[in-house]
Amino acid sequence: MKKFATVLLSICLVFSMCVASFAAVPDLTYTSKATIAIREVVRDLGANPSDADREVAAKAIITILEENGAETKGDLRTSADTLLEKGIIDKPLYTAINTIIDKTEAAEEDKAQAILDQMKAIMNDSSLSATEKITKMYELIKDLPAEEVQKILDAAKDKGIIDEETYNKLSDLFNGNGKVEIPEISGDGIKDLVSKVLGKLGIGGGNGGNGDDNSNGGSGSGSSGSSSNKTDFEGGNAKTGDYTIASVAGIAAIAGAALVLTKKKNDDK
């Protein structure tokens, strides 16, 4: 068991090095990878670019920012501000970048409104049970990015399309209640813990320890569903898009349990 605990702790350390940084805004210092790539785009653009060329360059810069940590439209705008302040891009290119972001946001708003209309139709369908309504709405939005899911659920609740109870049940479907149950540390308990934690983090073949088949797309009651693309909702207050805290917490839980188990074995001798 000591060897198992040692291997487990080694895996935890390796995994911790793979956890994403808390910072969402790219590193735009002079020698950073993102800055160097953006300077190359600007250099290729030339001195007197056309509007079409400037739009192509703006899209390339947005892609570079996203590949280097920008997760939201706010991150992109902040990064564009930084690039302008540092003189890496000029005002016309800055404007082109923000125009693209504006168009993307407008398209997302239209898409969100269409989804809200569909959710309203589902809620008004008297032929569906409460569970069926929740399941249909979950299926409608489960493949969207976490940021969009958050906005849609909040908008649906604010506009009275869904009530607080439905909002909470949909939230539970996305995070499996957002809890990691820690089994008793005895016998194969540590193996059960690893399976539960990795399942909650969406790693490996674990299912979060709740005995449900994740391939069912979250059907069933709103308080117990789960999915392979869970996001981090907490207690009815939807919070999506950040796995870093959950990952660190999982690592700490595994490492702590391994240490406790090792000490308990030593004490029993």
Side-chain angles (χ1 to χ4, degrees):
M1 184 57 71
K2 286 183 180 180
K3 292 181 179 179
F4 177 76
T6 301
V7 172
L8 181 61
L9 286 173
S10 299
I11 294 173
C12 289
L13 290 173
V14 172
F15 179 67
S16 67
M17 288 186 253
C18 300
V19 175
S21 170
F22 284 92
V25 180
D27 177 10
L28 296 175
T29 53
Y30 187 81
T31 58
S32 72
K33 176 182 176 182
T35 302
I36 292 172
I38 291 171
R39 287 185 184 278
E40 291 179 357
V41 171
V42 174
R43 184 167 53 251
D44 292 341
L45 187 57
N48 297 301
S50 65
D51 290 340
D53 290 339
R54 191 175 286 113
E55 182 178 358
V56 171
K59 290 180 179 178
I61 290 173
I62 288 174
T63 299
I64 292 170
L65 293 173
E66 290 175 337
E67 290 176 347
N68 285 274
E71 297 177 353
T72 67
K73 303 300 182 296
D75 297 337
L76 291 174
R77 292 188 190 280
T78 299
S79 298
D81 291 342
T82 301
L83 292 172
L84 181 63
E85 291 170 2
K86 290 178 175 289
I88 298 172
I89 61 175
D90 58 16
K91 187 67 174 179
L93 186 52
Y94 171 82
T95 301
I97 292 172
N98 278 284
T99 297
I100 292 174
I101 296 172
D102 291 341
K103 289 180 179 179
T104 302
E105 285 183 332
E108 288 178 355
E109 288 177 4
D110 290 341
K111 179 181 178 181
Q113 185 57 55
I115 292 174
L116 289 173
D117 292 340
Q118 290 178 272
M119 292 176 71
K120 185 174 182 179
I122 291 172
M123 290 300 294
N124 291 335
D125 189 345
S126 58
S127 68
L128 298 174
S129 67
T131 298
E132 289 172 331
K133 291 177 180 179
I134 291 171
T135 301
K136 282 183 173 292
M137 287 188 287
Y138 172 79
E139 291 291 336
L140 187 63
I141 62 177
K142 68 182 179 68
D143 294 324
L144 297 177
E147 181 187 2
E148 292 184 36
V149 171
Q150 172 75 72
K151 290 180 179 179
I152 288 172
L153 286 182
D154 287 344
K157 185 175 71 169
D158 293 342
K159 294 183 178 183
I161 296 174
I162 59 176
D163 56 23
E164 185 75 26
E165 181 180 2
T166 301
Y167 178 87
N168 290 340
K169 287 183 177 180
L170 281 168
S171 298
D172 286 342
L173 279 175
F174 278 94
N175 75 345
N177 292 322
K179 298 176 181 177
V180 178
E181 296 179 5
I182 299 179
E184 182 180 354
I185 306 300
S186 60
D188 291 332
I190 187 66
K191 296 179 182 178
D192 295 336
L193 175 61
V194 173
S195 177
K196 288 175 182 289
V197 173
L198 295 186
K200 287 292 182 180
L201 298 179
I203 300 171
N207 62 5
N210 58 8
D212 294 335
D213 182 359
N214 285 348
S215 64
N216 64 6
S219 61
S221 65
S223 61
S224 61
S226 60
S227 170
S228 61
N229 61 340
K230 296 188 190 77
T231 46
D232 183 22
F233 287 61
E234 284 288 347
N237 182 17
K239 299 177 182 178
T240 62
D242 188 356
Y243 289 91
T244 308
I245 296 175
S247 300
V248 173
I251 295 168
I254 296 174
L259 289 173
V260 170
L261 181 59
T262 303
K263 185 176 186 302
K264 183 175 180 180
K265 287 292 182 181
N266 289 336
D267 291 342
D268 291 341
K269 290 182 179 179

